[in-house]
Amino acid sequence: MQYTFQFVDSIQASPTVRLDLNNWPFLTDHNGLNIDPAPVRRIVASSMLTDGDLITRTAWGNRTLILPVRLIASSVDAAATQIQALARELCRERNFIRINLGGTKNYYFKTYAAPDYQVKLIRMFADTPTVLLTIPADPFAFGEEQTLSPITVNNDPTAGSNGMFFDVSSVMGDVDTPLNLALVHSAAATRTMAIGLRRRGTVTSTPFRLPVETALTLITDTTLPGADATAIGTGSAYARIAFANTSNPKIRGKFPAAANLNTRGRYRVFARVRKSVITDPIQLWITWGGNGGTGTIVNRAVAVPNGLSGWMYVDLDRMQYPINNDPVSDGMSGIELSVEGHNICIHALRGSGTTNLDVDELFLVPADDEFLFASYFFSPVTESHSAMVIDSTNRMIYAIGGSGQIMSQTLGGIPYLAGAQLTARPGVTNRYYVIQNTNGAGGNDLKGDTVQVTPSYFPAYTWIRPATT
Amino acid sequence: MSLKKVPLQVRVTTDRGDFDITGYCRGVRYRHAIPGGFASVQTSFDRPLAYRPDLIQRYAPLRVYDTRDGSIVAEGRVEDPERAAGDSGEIWGLTAIGGMAHASDFTGPYVAVDNLAESWIRADNTVTKTYMQTQQDSKTALGTGWRLSFERGKTVPVGNHGGIEYRPIREALFQKIGRISYTYDVDNSDTNWRHRLFMVDGGGNDNPVDLGFNSGGGSLSRIVQTDWANGRDRARLQMARNTSSVAITTDDGNVWFSNIVLQAVLKAVDGTDRLPTGSTTQNYAYSTDTLLAEDIIRDLLGRRLTKFDGANATIAASTYGIDLFRYIDGADAAAMMNDLMGLEPNTYWAAWESNSAGKYRFEWTTWPTTVDLLTSTVHGFDSPGSSDELLNVVNVRYRDGNGKTQWTQRTQSVAELTAAGLTRAAMQDMGEEVGTPANSAQFGDNFLAQRITPPNRGRLVVKTPVASLSRGMMLSPHELRPGVLTRVLDVEPSLDALNTVGRDGTTVFRVVSTDYDSDSDSVTLELDSYARSSARALADIQNSPALTRRRI
């Protein structure tokens, strides 16, 4: 069986092989070969006040590849030429080693420079040395990039498919891997997009959408004006706060109605709202917790942005189910405990003027795993953008052109990512909830908007790669 | 499956781009403190020193995010980077100073309310000005004020006038006068002797008061917009001769001015002037001789603290009327707010994360009275313990309106000191910026109230999530902030530990600062007041006010 140990220039199906370490004149010796999984670093909290040590954080460290390589040359000069080629590869600041131990698929290690190797001369002549390569590398081995089919994410949660979310499932690999997203809008778009990830439990049971007009109770000063095609609510319904008085809350109720394992977690609450007078000041906030009343936890009031005549999403900060302490499971059993919903109360105060505040929906975006704000200006015509790329591998966002080239961006400011490096996890459904246009950054929010998302990733392995996963 | 890394992102924004440096920075440490809020962030990364990386830029925003929910946990602006080369390689160090530093961006004169007689100067403007006599004097014992008169033996022509002028509000970088009030008295009833008030600026003047001596004495107040045009920045109090000349033959040709109080026109948080009428939300009546701390805070937000989000600031209601707030020799907003903390009990100011417009969230708020964090000593706790800050007396020094040093003494009953038969007194210096009898008493009472129970200068280490009762969720070490009360669950409880109002020094403590280190994923809480350390002691010495204030 011919094994593969090659320095290549990239991770792809047919990279350029720069140096083959298991093909004449090189031979990789299996004795002493070490491609163990990367070590794990741990933060251990211990004291004499408790039994046992608590491991609070873990992270992979770099791995060290140990490759014993024998060189068989016809002369010392020939050996020197090959050793020079080896030295040049080992001196590259970053490099790729492609390995295959007889399986179907290759996998790649991204390495660091390691020109300090040990030389063992078999004989006094230097034409058959054995060198012990000790090469530091990134923690994981990678497979070739997997690009999924484009997904059209609708801005309407009641849409037939992908209503404000998209799924990435059947992820190949052993461990979480950075997820890259190519975003395409139908027209020029300024966005501050919020993406929250849920991938535990049953993702379809995540309490994401809270239809105000049906799930909560309207208090004095709040009515249901009727259908509005621009509203998301059931029958395009929404609630209207008229501010005839200053009493609060305006809307309240228990959500979700029934206890559920999948309710558990921390969420970032977004309200889809609209003002009738765009310059009148409105303070909006929620209180939450408990089974009745107005809730004991008071989130900070936020100003509803001025200047938009249509719907917009306002960030009302975070909320947790359950409130305060959560044991998660029953003692040592590991059996997860269900979580009851609690009251959510919407409060609003008008500082001056005559505006109404229309409240369409609340959205609870999961905020206990990975959460990201992506701010950008997509300009397909003026700037010739083909897509905006959220590059989680390199932790940056940029525009690309039709040939995948990096495009400069002169309009709309510097794009940025704030928050998590998005990842995809094997063995689960990774559901990414999307609020396309937060805080009115991109003008009025239109429920008919869509964004095409093309996910891609490099499968990550601890050391060896199966044929299909 | 992913391992449970520290869920933080470190991001720097320069004019070259937006850089996520999480993957190659050598950990991150940050500090929050009360007062102030976000204090500093420190990190370092490996790059050659031969050229400056694009992500190094003075004053570039550096933000630390919680990757689980996208919230900002620390933030600052990059100061001069550090550079080092050695066994660890070539390293750039970044220190970002938090938004609280903007409270010290500008140092200059400031006047909100001024009741000092020494603020006035003689200002004659008549040909025969040598006849005019002005002196700081008071008709009542221990009073402060001014007496205007014409020299005995002289004949004062019609139209002669002279008096005193107030300029400090103008000299405070062209602030404007919003209110004036004073008490006046006269020694005769000649209607041709007039006392007049003029409000002046470079473009003109208004004359809101013109009273003959026959009206007798009294007190009055006048306000902007109603009595003079907005923009007047000087006040003149005059004695004038009207209708007919007179020969001065007696010593009763005096007018006395006392209890003279001026207020500057206040700003709203958006920087517009607050006037008695004309706005639906920002009118200010200028109806009393005192100001509330909340109104001074709004003025500072609109006038100087423009890097803070004044429009959405949280400003707690105040109760104490401040009768002197005047920094003629200059001060920054941080120093002024720290003085306000001494006058308004249990308050503090803090600047936290920035919004999309780059303005920092600001709060002027009070310490909570209910416990928020439930912590324990399991990961480390030390409390040196000391009773040296139990006090039952404080002597407060200030300078009065005539420039003389005065003292106010305040007392309180402390059970432990009473039982031991001890009297322990401290001294505090109010100086001339805020020193009045009333302010000194208020400050002294607040000062003593914080010393009725032993402050627990200590540290508590937290390495695991703790419950936050105010937030309704478990908070990880990197999320903890000061400005809250914590109950340390395995410290000796006191009888009233379960019914706490404020801290009790034994079980419930104020968290005054937090220091987080990502390498250990732990945060150190400083409790009550700052922990005893050499660094803290040196900082206290450096920041303590001078015992005497000198006039330049």
Side-chain angles (χ1 to χ4, degrees):
Chain A
M1 172 69 68
Q2 180 69 22
Y3 300 140
T4 302
F5 299 91
Q6 297 170 333
F7 282 104
V8 297
D9 67 343
S10 57
I11 300 177
Q12 57 176 308
S14 301
T16 299
V17 178
R18 290 203 284 249
L19 190 67
D20 193 333
L21 298 178
N22 201 35
N23 200 17
W24 187 90
F26 287 105
L27 177 66
T28 300
D29 195 335
H30 303 159
N31 291 322
L33 177 68
N34 188 327
I35 53 172
D36 290 351
V40 170
R41 292 172 282 136
R42 299 176 175 85
I43 295 177
V44 180
S46 67
S47 78
M48 293 303 295
L49 300 175
T50 61
D51 294 328
D53 299 334
L54 188 64
I55 297 176
T56 58
R57 296 290 181 192
T58 48
W60 295 97
N62 277 350
R63 71 196 309 144
T64 302
L65 303 175
I66 299 177
L67 305 179
V69 178
R70 184 185 300 179
L71 171 63
I72 305 170
S74 58
S75 66
V76 173
D77 286 342
T81 301
Q82 296 302 320
I83 289 170
Q84 182 179 70
L86 175 64
R88 288 175 176 174
E89 291 303 315
L90 292 172
C91 284
R92 292 181 188 272
E93 185 177 350
R94 299 303 306 263
N95 210 337
F96 295 100
I97 292 180
R98 181 168 66 174
I99 291 180
N100 189 319
L101 296 180
T104 306
K105 293 290 178 68
N106 299 316
Y107 39 97
Y108 305 75
F109 292 92
K110 192 170 184 182
T111 65
Y112 291 86
D116 50 336
Y117 53 82
Q118 298 177 22
V119 177
K120 182 177 178 182
L121 297 178
I122 303 298
R123 300 179 297 191
M124 285 304 296
F125 302 103
D127 55 356
T128 56
T130 296
V131 295
L132 188 68
L133 304 181
T134 305
I135 306 174
D138 283 351
F140 310 117
F142 292 99
E144 293 90 358
E145 184 175 21
Q146 304 296 308
T147 302
L148 281 61
S149 299
I151 305 166
T152 298
V153 178
N154 292 290
N155 204 30
D156 181 354
T158 65
S161 62
N162 298 109
M164 299 179 72
F165 73 90
F166 64 94
D167 291 339
V168 174
S169 50
S170 302
V171 176
M172 301 166 64
D174 298 345
V175 297
D176 294 0
T177 187
L179 181 72
N180 300 331
L181 302 175
L183 310 176
V184 180
H185 296 272
S186 57
T190 299
R191 291 287 184 268
T192 299
M193 179 181 289
I195 303 175
L197 170 62
R198 174 60 54 88
R199 53 188 170 191
R200 56 176 167 80
T202 306
V203 297
T204 53
S205 298
T206 304
F208 173 61
R209 177 190 169 213
L210 200 170
V212 168
E213 70 287 349
T214 55
L216 302 182
T217 301
L218 307 185
I219 313 299
T220 306
D221 201 23
T222 309
T223 57
L224 293 178
D228 180 335
T230 64
I232 290 173
T234 304
S236 298
Y238 61 97
R240 170 162 289 172
I241 302 170
F243 299 105
N245 55 65
T246 58
S247 63
N248 268 293
K250 303 298 186 184
I251 307 169
R252 73 171 170 217
K254 182 177 174 180
F255 182 80
N260 194 299
L261 289 177
N262 299 289
T263 302
R264 163 176 289 107
R266 186 186 288 192
Y267 300 86
R268 202 168 189 97
V269 181
F270 289 88
R272 191 171 193 256
V273 300
R274 176 176 66 185
K275 292 197 289 189
S276 57
V277 180
I278 64 176
T279 55
D280 285 354
I282 296 283
Q283 293 283 312
L284 184 64
W285 71 99
I286 58 171
T287 58
W288 51 277
N291 230 348
T294 60
T296 56
I297 307 301
V298 181
N299 280 15
R300 194 179 312 121
V302 295
V304 178
N306 288 338
L308 292 180
S309 60
W311 298 102
M312 69 188 97
Y313 281 95
V314 178
D315 184 351
L316 298 181
D317 209 354
R318 291 150 290 172
M319 187 175 70
Q320 177 178 289
Y321 287 98
I323 186 173
N324 289 325
N325 291 323
D326 182 11
V328 182
S329 63
D330 176 21
M332 296 290 290
S333 69
I335 300 171
E336 193 171 344
L337 299 172
S338 186
V339 176
E340 182 81 2
H342 58 225
N343 265 22
I344 298 175
C345 305
I346 301 173
H347 303 247
L349 212 58
R350 184 177 67 195
S352 63
T354 59
T355 188
N356 300 317
L357 182 72
D358 295 339
V359 183
D360 187 6
E361 308 254 309
L362 293 185
F363 290 94
L364 278 55
V365 181
D368 51 18
D369 190 342
E370 291 173 1
F371 192 98
L372 177 69
F373 283 107
S375 179
Y376 58 87
F377 174 60
F378 176 69
S379 178
V381 175
T382 307
E383 305 265 23
S384 300
H385 295 166
S386 290
M388 294 301 299
V389 175
I390 296 178
D391 185 340
S392 298
T393 304
N394 295 300
R395 298 175 178 261
M396 56 182 67
I397 181 171
Y398 47 82
I400 60 173
S403 304
Q405 72 276 29
I406 307 300
M407 304 296 286
S408 60
Q409 184 146 359
T410 56
L411 300 176
I414 299 172
Y416 66 83
L417 300 176
Q421 173 197 40
L422 288 181
T423 64
R425 176 171 298 170
V428 299
T429 298
N430 300 267
R431 174 158 291 191
Y432 304 85
Y433 291 95
V434 179
I435 306 284
Q436 286 193 37
N437 185 9
T438 63
N439 285 326
N444 294 330
D445 179 77
L446 304 176
K447 74 174 186 181
D449 275 348
T450 61
V451 58
Q452 183 187 81
V453 178
T454 304
S456 63
Y457 65 91
F458 290 82
Y461 303 92
T462 54
W463 73 282
I464 194 170
R465 181 183 180 187
T468 56
T469 58
Chain B
M1 187 68 181
S2 174
L3 300 184
K4 192 181 172 189
K5 299 184 290 292
V6 173
L8 295 178
Q9 178 211 28
V10 183
R11 175 177 152 233
V12 179
T13 304
T14 72
D15 57 8
R16 294 290 190 92
D18 194 276
F19 303 94
D20 183 331
I21 64 172
T22 311
Y24 48 88
C25 68
R26 291 180 172 223
V28 63
R29 293 161 299 284
Y30 50 83
R31 177 178 172 82
H32 309 328
I34 296 298
F38 285 168
S40 64
V41 184
Q42 289 179 300
T43 186
S44 60
F45 57 93
D46 297 69
R47 286 288 177 88
L49 302 183
Y51 58 92
R52 183 170 289 232
D54 283 347
L55 60 86
I56 300 283
Q57 184 179 57
R58 203 170 284 129
Y59 306 127
L62 185 152
R63 300 181 178 94
V64 184
Y65 293 87
D66 187 326
T67 60
R68 301 169 304 167
D69 60 19
S71 59
I72 296 175
V73 295
E75 181 174 359
R77 289 186 181 272
V78 174
E79 298 287 298
D80 272 337
E82 304 159 14
R83 289 161 288 182
D87 292 344
S88 300
E90 294 175 286
I91 300 171
W92 290 82
L94 294 182
T95 298
I97 304 302
M100 63 182 284
H102 290 297
S104 301
D105 277 352
F106 181 83
T107 300
Y110 178 83
V111 177
V113 55
D114 187 351
N115 65 6
L116 299 182
E118 66 175 11
S119 296
W120 295 78
I121 60 173
R122 177 189 173 106
D124 294 338
N125 51 4
T126 178
V127 174
T128 54
K129 62 179 181 291
T130 55
Y131 291 175
M132 191 72 211
Q133 293 179 326
T134 60
Q135 62 186 90
Q136 276 187 258
D137 200 354
S138 174
K139 206 171 185 182
T140 61
L142 303 180
T144 62
W146 284 83
R147 176 172 66 87
L148 307 184
S149 63
F150 281 89
E151 185 179 346
R152 185 173 180 177
K154 302 297 183 183
T155 298
V156 181
V158 173
N160 259 211
H161 58 270
I164 53 176
E165 183 171 281
Y166 178 89
R167 295 177 182 171
I169 283 180
R170 180 178 187 276
E171 291 168 349
L173 301 178
F174 301 102
Q175 287 182 251
K176 296 169 283 189
I177 299 175
R179 171 186 167 90
I180 183 170
S181 69
Y182 56 87
T183 300
Y184 61 96
D185 200 357
V186 294
D187 287 344
N188 64 64
S189 59
D190 185 346
T191 187
N192 285 320
W193 282 118
R194 315 294 292 183
H195 111 249
R196 292 173 178 152
L197 169 67
F198 288 90
M199 305 303 294
V200 184
D201 65 25
N205 67 82
D206 294 298
N207 176 212
V209 175
D210 185 354
L211 294 175
F213 279 25
N214 60 312
S215 302
S219 296
L220 57 81
S221 65
R222 297 290 186 269
I223 64 173
V224 65
Q225 191 178 58
T226 301
D227 298 304
W228 65 80
N230 185 24
R232 307 305 186 204
D233 55 15
R234 283 172 288 157
R236 289 182 187 149
L237 285 169
Q238 287 184 350
M239 178 179 175
R241 184 64 191 175
N242 201 33
T243 306
S244 62
S245 63
V246 65
I248 307 298
T249 59
T250 64
D251 291 327
D252 61 357
N254 304 308
V255 59
W256 305 79
F257 297 106
S258 60
N259 302 318
I260 311 171
V261 182
L262 288 98
Q263 291 178 6
V265 170
L266 296 173
K267 295 280 189 186
V269 294
D270 62 1
T272 58
D273 288 344
R274 299 182 73 184
L275 300 176
T277 61
S279 169
T280 54
T281 58
Q282 301 182 143
N283 292 335
Y284 189 79
Y286 299 97
S287 58
T288 67
D289 282 343
T290 58
L291 290 178
L292 297 176
E294 61 181 274
D295 292 311
I296 296 176
I297 291 291
R298 290 190 182 92
D299 183 79
L300 289 173
L301 284 170
R303 190 184 300 277
R304 290 200 183 179
L305 300 174
T306 54
K307 293 299 183 186
F308 297 158
D309 184 8
N312 297 299
T314 299
I315 302 176
S318 306
T319 56
Y320 174 69
I322 300 167
D323 59 358
L324 177 67
F325 201 81
R326 165 192 182 273
Y327 297 80
I328 291 302
D329 293 336
D332 59 25
M336 288 190 274
M337 289 191 290
N338 290 344
D339 282 344
L340 288 175
M341 287 167 51
L343 295 171
E344 195 66 29
N346 294 321
T347 51
Y348 66 83
W349 65 274
W352 302 106
E353 64 281 348
S354 61
N355 60 17
S356 57
K359 290 183 180 280
Y360 298 92
R361 181 172 65 86
F362 177 84
E363 56 180 2
W364 166 261
T365 187
T366 55
W367 281 94
T369 56
T370 54
V371 168
D372 185 0
L373 303 179
L374 302 179
T375 55
S376 76
T377 62
V378 66
H379 295 130
F381 173 73
D382 76 87
S383 171
S386 173
S387 297
D388 68 349
E389 288 213 18
L390 282 181
L391 298 171
N392 45 15
V393 176
V394 64
N395 296 311
V396 185
R397 184 174 67 186
Y398 66 97
R399 290 183 58 180
D400 67 13
N402 292 327
K404 302 295 189 296
T405 299
Q406 303 286 351
W407 293 86
T408 297
Q409 184 178 87
R410 308 299 291 177
T411 63
Q412 70 175 356
S413 175
V414 179
E416 292 92 329
L417 293 176
T418 301
L422 296 175
T423 298
R424 305 191 72 176
M427 193 204 86
Q428 291 291 299
D429 188 358
M430 296 291 287
E432 63 184 16
E433 288 84 3
V434 294
T436 67
N439 284 354
S440 302
Q442 175 76 357
F443 178 86
D445 290 345
N446 293 340
F447 179 83
L448 287 177
Q450 294 302 313
R451 288 150 181 85
I452 197 168
T453 55
N456 186 52
R457 290 184 167 185
R459 296 190 182 93
L460 180 72
V461 179
V462 177
K463 295 186 178 182
T464 53
V466 298
S468 167
L469 302 182
S470 71
R471 300 277 302 280
M473 57 184 69
M474 303 292 289
L475 298 182
S476 297
H478 65 268
E479 297 181 274
L480 299 184
R481 295 187 184 185
V484 297
L485 300 184
T486 178
R487 173 173 290 126
V488 187
L489 295 173
D490 35 15
V491 170
E492 174 191 5
S494 63
L495 285 177
D496 56 355
L498 294 179
N499 295 290
T500 301
V501 176
R503 60 161 173 79
D504 65 5
T506 305
T507 308
V508 177
F509 310 97
R510 287 182 175 177
V511 179
V512 295
S513 80
T514 59
D515 282 274
Y516 174 78
D517 187 340
S518 68
D519 284 345
S520 59
D521 192 33
S522 67
V523 64
T524 300
L525 312 182
E526 286 191 295
L527 305 176
D528 267 10
S529 45
Y530 295 110
R532 291 175 182 275
S533 69
S534 298
R536 176 56 54 192
L538 289 171
D540 286 346
I541 291 171
Q542 185 171 6
N543 294 332
S544 61
L547 292 179
T548 59
R549 295 187 184 274
R550 302 182 187 84
R551 297 296 298 273
I552 296 174

